[in-house]
Amino acid sequence: MAGPVSRGLSCISRTVGWCSRQPVLMTHPTAIVPVRTKKRFTPPAYEPKYRSQKEFIEFTRKAGLVIPPEHLERPIHLACTANIFDTYIPPEGDARVSSLSKEGLAQKTERLKKNVASQLSIRKIREYDANFKIRDFPEKAKDIFIEAHLCLNNSDHDRLHTLVTENCFPDMVWDIKYKTVRWSFVESLEPSQVVQVRCSSLLSQGNIYGQVTVRMHTRQTLAIYDRFGRLMYGQEDMPRDVLEYIVFEKHLTNPYGSWRMHAKIVPPWAPPKQPILKTVMIPGPQLKPWEDYEEPQGSLGEALKPQLA
């Protein structure tokens, strides 16, 4: 029994000695570090104080509060009116009849009768515009008239909107797209004068507009060219005498309002305007791709030339 036991002990000692000579591996303890993440906010459940609108209205009535009803309506801004309050009727033969003749004296008498309503309107305008004066207004109106027409030469519509109302703007720029306008003011044949003043309210008594009719007898030049440069109307080097009745309007209750051109009164006895010359093309014969067009000779060729219609 001694032999096997000694052998077993020697084997154990050898094993233990080999293990003691090996390097000892040290393991570090695992550490858990908490990482702070983004804090999430969860809103609390909202419980309305009043379960229905009827209950809320009853509570406000008991508290003595009156809540006006809500109207989902958009405000409307009326910058100008759509027509003339009291259209001035120019006397027939104005600027042609002498003031010393019988007809001229009758026109002056009729104008004095209408001045009563104009004086009442002037007092109303001065309540909102203290600087309004009849003597100074014709010169101011002439400057607005000249500057507004010069804007057509440069197609400056932004500036034109500040000089004319929304009712007058479409009439001034109608059918002048792709056209060239050449307008100029030469001189005044007679001093401009105010012939009528009117005031009126729109939609409500506090929304008041004022309109002033100014008589202008001037000399002007006008020429309109189409997009091809051809003359359509008037002549640049030939001034003409023009008698016009211009209506100027202002929104009196608007503190930032200004006098602007509103309309033009055309009397029924005014002479007809010169017709506009339009360039038209006479269609030629329909040719096939391999055919050439040959101009006819003689009087037939002259007859087929484009004409102004």
Side-chain angles (χ1 to χ4, degrees), residues 23 32 68 87 100 219 225 227 230 275 282:
I32 301 175
T87 305
L100 301 177
R219 183 167 293 171
Y225 300 89
R227 59 178 179 172
R230 300 184 180 95
I282 300 176

Side-chain angles (χ1 to χ4, degrees), residues 134-147:
I134 290 294
R135 295 181 180 179
D136 302 338
F137 187 81
E139 193 66 24
K140 180 181 179 181
K142 188 179 74 171
D143 296 340
I144 297 173
F145 173 81
I146 295 174
E147 188 174 358

Side-chain angles (χ1 to χ4, degrees), residues 68-230:
E70 296 182 359
H71 300 283
L72 300 178
E73 298 177 354
R74 295 183 178 180
I76 300 175
H77 174 63
L78 300 176
C80 68
T81 58
N83 50 14
I84 304 174
F85 300 144
D86 185 10
T87 305
Y88 174 77
I89 302 176
E92 187 174 357
D94 193 6
R96 297 179 182 177
V97 179
S98 175
S99 59
L100 301 177
S101 61
K102 184 178 179 180
E103 292 80 3
L105 294 175
Q107 293 177 7
K108 283 189 175 182
T109 306
E110 188 68 23
R111 189 176 302 175
L112 290 174
K113 293 180 181 179
K114 296 182 179 179
N115 282 346
V116 178
S118 297
Q119 292 297 329
L120 297 176
S121 300
I122 291 172
R123 294 178 183 178
K124 193 70 174 179
I125 292 175
R126 286 177 178 172
E127 293 180 4
Y128 297 91
D129 188 2
N131 299 325
F132 179 78
K133 295 181 180 179
I134 290 294
R135 295 181 180 179
D136 302 338
F137 187 81
E139 193 66 24
K140 180 181 179 181
K142 188 179 74 171
D143 296 340
I144 297 173
F145 173 81
I146 295 174
E147 188 174 358
H149 284 79
L150 290 178
C151 290
L152 298 178
N153 296 351
N154 307 326
S155 298
D156 189 0
H157 292 176
D158 295 336
R159 177 58 180 165
L160 187 61
H161 271 292
T162 62
L163 299 172
V164 301
T165 61
E166 288 74 9
N167 179 68
C168 181
F169 181 82
D171 297 337
M172 293 193 66
V173 301
W174 178 79
D175 202 22
I176 63 171
K177 191 176 182 181
Y178 305 120
K179 296 180 178 61
T180 304
V181 180
R182 292 288 180 263
W183 182 91
S184 64
F185 177 82
V186 181
E187 61 178 346
S188 294
L189 300 178
E190 294 182 27
S192 302
Q193 56 180 342
V194 176
V195 294
Q196 181 173 279
V197 182
R198 290 292 183 270
C199 281
S200 181
S201 58
L202 186 65
L203 297 180
S204 63
Q205 294 296 330
N207 195 28
I208 302 177
Y209 296 83
Q211 292 183 354
V212 180
T213 305
V214 181
R215 176 184 179 274
M216 296 184 181
H217 192 197
T218 59
R219 183 167 293 171
Q220 310 169 12
T221 61
L222 175 64
I224 301 177
Y225 300 89
D226 60 6
R227 59 178 179 172
F228 304 107
R230 300 184 180 95

